[in-house]
Structures are given as C-alpha cells and as structure tokens.
C-alpha cells in the first residue's frame, strides 16, 4: 500500500505522535490533534492541495526506521548490540544537585546532563517536554534555558507529548541546543536532520530515556475519575518525581490542595493499558539514536526513601564526552556498570523486541500495513524465543487485529 502522507500513517495506527511531520511540511499544512483514546495524531489541512514531496513521510519514525548504519558503530558492546543497539559504555548514576535528583523520575540524570550542556557546554537551551501551563493535563514542547525552567519541567509525562513540533526553535536558535525525548522522538529528529542537514548543526547533544509506550489522554482522565477527581479542577499534575520511583500527584488549581496521590506501581499499572497498538510494535525502547540514553535500574528494588538513580547508556563519542565533562564539573555522579545490568533491568522491553517479528509477520499475512523496521535483528531475536512464545507473538497479534477491526483504516474521535 502506498502512503500519500502522515494522515495515512495515522489512519493505519502507525503514528507515534512525535510531531516531526509538523515542521517538515514547508507549506505549514500539518498540525497535531489529541485523539483522546489514541494519542497526538496529524491532520493535513487541504490534503487535496498537497504536492508529491512526501517530506512528512520521510521524517516519520512511525512509518519507517532504519538502524542498519548504527549497527556498524565501532567499539559497541557486542553483548547488547542485538537487543539494545550500539552501546559504548554503561554507567549508573544520578544528579549531584539534590533538588534535580529528587524531582527527576530516576535520579535526574537527563536534567543534570542538559543543565551542564547549557551552563558549561555552550548550548543555547534544551528542547524537551513539560506540562502545558494553560492545560495541566496536556504537555507541550519547551526550550528551557535555565536551571529553574529545567527543574520545573523535569519528570516523566505518561501522556501524549510531541517534542519534535518544536524543532523550529532549534533551527532558529543562535547556538546549538540539547534535544531530549522518547526514543521515537529522537529518531524523528534524526530523520529530520537527514532531510534537512542544516538542522544537525544546531543540535549539540541528544538525550533519551527508556520507554515502554505512551498512554493516551483517556488513561489519565479515567485514572482521575477513579479517584473522584474532576479534570477541570486540576491545576498541576505529575506522574513521577519526589524520589524513586516517585508518585502520581494531582493538585487543585488555586490553592494547590492535594486531589490524588498514587504510587508508581498503582498509576503505571493502570495507565499502561491505554498504550496505542503502535507502541506494541516499537523495536527501540532504549533510545538507540541518542548520544546518551537513561533508564530506571529495575534490576533491583527501590530502597525506602531513595532519591533515585539511572542506568546510563553512552552510545556515541559525543555522548562519551558529554558525560565525562558533566562528571568532571560535578553535575552528575556516576560509576561504570556491567552491561548485563541493562538486560536485567529492562527485561520486559527486551522481551517485546523479541516478539516483534512475529507480530509484524501476522500483520502482513492479514493484509494490514506494517512499519518498515530495519537494523534491529528482529528475526534473529524472534528465533531465540521458545516455541510457545513464538505462537503467542503471532496468535496474540491476530486476535487484536481481528477483534479490534484493524484490517481497515480507522478514524478515531478527535477531542
């Protein structure tokens, strides 16, 4: 099936909601809308007037990801290459600043690295996601330039977020910037740079974090409803932070009174059921396109009152230099860690990758368009599954496709 634009990508449930298509359109025809039960999805104004440039598709990581070149990175840790992509070094650490460490989702490492790059590395700012001040349940792209701005926007957002919508802010900046986002966001950036190489000269460092998927807005609405909270009464919403693994917190508009408090296990255990189907087809949960990727050290249980730490995957020489400079300047504290800890900490992410080839095969067998994914050793990973798991990877995908009507393009209700 030939896709004409990202509208087709969204209709066939392949959109990841990164927003790279918005600045890619030279005519400014693409915008994102929040499909409440799915995610941020593109609409094209006057699609009948679109030409044949297909730039929105060229930058789309939902439609296609090719990591074959990454697999040839020199010096990569061989034990992780098949499951996590290129990794030069593995560390475990946290932000030296106690406020940043506690506000971050897992030790504040990404925030601290971004702050060092801005304050000491000559970066103009950091493009990342934070709450929308006018709509506390929504997120938007921010270009943060101070410690206060980075700190206020630290922490995970388990709801739709599209940092690539703000790539124009990087393109127009007077100096290189840091970009921080989900693995698919960083891939959207990489594909955008391939389309417009000048953008790459304005990106000084890319940071990502381990990601198991992005729940739709409906998840947050239903979670609040279960606690008897009217979404209109919420003035501030945090999904994590204030220690590791952190708390879900909803506070009232005006006086800031607490409306809801849930543990990480309670909130994520509920929200993960609202992840769109494309998240189950994601081959990259560990930020392979980034210079540095960080994630929770789930190989061990959190300790009482722990402020948090991250596993840190250094993926490029630029990332190696950035981490070394941040350590030397005292922004972060980190120690080398065994590569095996990555596998132990992220078993579920890696299990999903192993099952992916069977899911894609089932989609194609049923006539459903599937994303083009290269350079992930998907077949080799799938072969390593026990026979029972191979069957589950195909039968489960077939059941979802048939029971949910995925053999036809869909149009979700736009909120």
């Amino acid at each position: 099936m030939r896709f004409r634009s990202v509208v087709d990508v969204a209709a066939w449930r392949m959109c990841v909601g990164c927003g790279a298509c918005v600045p890619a359109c030279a005519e400014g025809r693409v915008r994102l809308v929040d499909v409440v039960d799915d995610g941020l999805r593109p609409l094209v104004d006057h699609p009948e007037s679109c030409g044949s440039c297909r730039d929105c598709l060229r930058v789309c990581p939902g439609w296609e990801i090719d990591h074959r070149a990454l697999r040839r990175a020199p010096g990569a840790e061989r034990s992780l290459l098949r499951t996590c992509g290129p990794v030069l070094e593995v560390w475990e650490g946290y932000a030296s600043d106690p406020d940043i460490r506690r506000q971050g989702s897992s030790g504040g490492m990404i925030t601290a690295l971004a702050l060092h790059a801005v304050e000491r590395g000559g970066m103009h700012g950091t493009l990342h996601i934070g709450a929308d001040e006018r709509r506390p349940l929504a997120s938007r792209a921010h270009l943060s330039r101070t410690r206060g701005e980075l700190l206020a926007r630290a922490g995970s957002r388990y709801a739709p977020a599209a940092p690539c919508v703000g790539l124009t802010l990087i393109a127009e900046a007077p100096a290189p910037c840091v970009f921080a986002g989900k693995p698919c966001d960083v891939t959207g950036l990489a594909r955008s740079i391939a389309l417009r190489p000048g953008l790459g000269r304005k990106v000084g460092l890319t940071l990502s974090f381990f990601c198991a998927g992005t729940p739709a807005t409906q998840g947050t609405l239903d979670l609040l409803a279960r606690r008897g909270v009217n979404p209109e009464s919420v003035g501030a919403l945090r999904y994590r932070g204030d220690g590791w693994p952190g708390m879900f917190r909803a506070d009232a508009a005006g006086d800031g009174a607490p409306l809801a408090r849930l543990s990480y296990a309670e909130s994520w255990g509920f929200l993960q059921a609202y992840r769109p189907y494309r998240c189950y087809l994601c081959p990259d949960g560990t930020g392979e396109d980034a210079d540095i990727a960080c994630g929770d050290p789930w190989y061990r249980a959190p300790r009482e009152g722990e402020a948090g730490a991250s596993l840190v995957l250094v993926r490029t020489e630029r990332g190696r230099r950035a981490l070394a400079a941040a350590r030397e300047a005292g922004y972060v504290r980190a120690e080398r860690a065994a590569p095996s800890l990555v596998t132990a900490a992220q078993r579920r992410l890696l299990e999903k990758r192993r099952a992916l080839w069977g899911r894609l095969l089932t989609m194609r067998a049923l006539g459903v368009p599937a994303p083009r994914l290269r350079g992930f050793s998907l077949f080799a990973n799938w072969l390593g599954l026990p026979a029972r798991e191979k069957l589950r990877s195909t039968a489960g995908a077939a059941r979802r496709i048939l029971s949910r009507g995925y053999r036809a393009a869909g149009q979700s209700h736009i909120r």
Side-chain angles (χ1 to χ4, degrees), residues 92-109:
E92 185 169 345
Y94 52 87
S96 301
D97 184 319
D99 293 332
I100 292 177
R101 184 182 184 187
R102 193 152 191 90
Q103 283 288 90
S105 295
S106 51
M109 179 63 79

Side-chain angles (χ1 to χ4, degrees), residues 42-65:
L43 285 181
V44 176
D45 294 328
H46 306 296
E48 70 282 356
S49 301
C50 266
S52 58
C53 76
R54 292 164 59 90
D55 283 353
C56 60
L57 286 176
R58 290 188 177 96
V59 301
C60 177
W63 164 239
E64 181 179 38
I65 307 176

